[in-house]
Amino acid sequence: MSEKVLLLVGAGPGIGLSTARKFGNKGFKVALIARRLQALQQYEAELSREGIEAKGFPGDVSSDESLKAAIDSVIKTYGKVDVLLYNAAVLKPGKPTKLTADDLINEFKINVSGALTSVKEVLPHMEKGTILLTGGGLALYPNADLASLSIGKAGIRSLAYSLHQELSPKDIYVGTLTIKGFVQEGTYFSPKNIANTFFSMYENQTETEIMFEEK
């Protein structure tokens, strides 16, 4: 049986790298998509030193064309995707009345519509697969100072539920992890704890939404 493949869209040094490490240590090959080639090469090297097979694919999540091209390269390399994690978001402060319509639309592309594009591109190459979306407490408790991201996290939550309804009859599990706090090393909200929870969601495949909060 061939090794499983994790595709991580929106690879970064926090949640992304920790989740890549978690799945990689469980035998997954890891494909990483991010905008900056230099960052991808750094993640590749770091994971490789730990014995994890990882490969970066440059792609701009805000551009449908660029994102599709990057995912196409992943499919040509691995032939399939077993787990998709969409982890891209724009953390840009700004009150609602200070947002321009263009800003909101451009950030929505990264916060939400890039996830839908990613899902649609991988589905033909996924069998009994898993789709994981990084959510946030802003979906439930919007913050005026982070208006665009609050709208984005509400959108990703809604997308997760609607995708789950559509895809669960096709043996595709869709889940979102709603992180109700700020990601920070050395706390309950550490990237490692979040990565462990993502892997648990992949293993259990029971709930559409997991609330990640300190009890």
Side-chain angles (χ1 to χ4, degrees):
M1 194 172 114
S2 63
E3 288 173 307
K4 295 196 169 181
V5 177
L6 165 72
L7 169 56
L8 202 160
V9 179
I15 293 172
L17 193 57
S18 287
T19 306
R21 184 177 288 117
K22 177 68 179 182
F23 277 80
N25 283 327
K26 295 289 186 178
F28 277 74
K29 293 179 178 179
V30 178
L32 306 163
I33 292 179
R35 201 162 42 88
R36 289 173 49 239
L37 178 60
Q38 188 179 357
L40 286 169
Q41 289 170 337
Q42 186 182 323
Y43 304 148
E44 277 180 21
E46 198 170 323
L47 292 166
S48 179
R49 283 194 295 272
E50 298 174 34
I52 295 166
E53 186 179 326
K55 185 169 174 55
F57 299 83
D60 184 350
V61 176
S62 68
S63 159
D64 237 27
E65 190 179 310
S66 176
L67 180 56
K68 285 178 178 179
I71 294 173
D72 186 54
S73 296
V74 172
I75 299 302
K76 282 176 177 165
T77 303
Y78 295 108
K80 63 166 186 169
V81 171
D82 296 287
V83 179
L84 166 69
L85 170 59
Y86 190 84
N87 185 55
V90 180
L91 179 58
K92 190 174 172 186
K95 293 186 187 295
T97 56
K98 300 297 181 189
L99 271 176
T100 67
D102 283 345
D103 284 342
L104 183 62
I105 290 165
N106 289 333
E107 288 164 26
F108 194 84
K109 284 179 184 175
I110 297 169
N111 292 334
V112 184
S113 66
L116 181 58
T117 297
S118 300
V119 169
K120 288 167 74 174
E121 290 300 301
V122 302
L123 274 177
H125 312 282
M126 188 176 256
E127 192 177 331
K128 293 186 177 178
T130 296
I131 294 162
L132 301 169
L133 307 176
T134 302
L138 292 170
L140 307 170
Y141 308 103
N143 184 322
D145 291 320
L146 293 167
S148 179
L149 186 57
S150 296
I151 292 165
K153 287 306 179 190
I156 207 88
R157 182 172 186 259
S158 179
L159 180 62
Y161 274 91
S162 55
L163 281 171
H164 179 81
Q165 289 171 29
E166 180 185 3
L167 298 178
S168 58
K170 300 173 183 177
D171 278 336
I172 303 288
Y173 166 70
V174 182
T176 184
L177 184 61
T178 299
I179 302 164
K180 296 171 76 174
F182 291 100
V183 180
Q184 193 176 347
E185 290 286 1
T187 70
Y188 179 82
F189 296 95
S190 71
K192 185 177 179 182
N193 283 351
I194 292 166
N196 288 341
T197 307
F198 271 131
F199 193 79
S200 172
M201 290 172 75
Y202 157 72
E203 284 190 308
N204 297 326
Q205 303 199 0
T206 49
E207 297 173 69
T208 312
E209 181 177 26
I210 300 286
M211 294 292 177
F212 190 83
E213 56 190 330
E214 201 163 3
K215 300 288 194 292

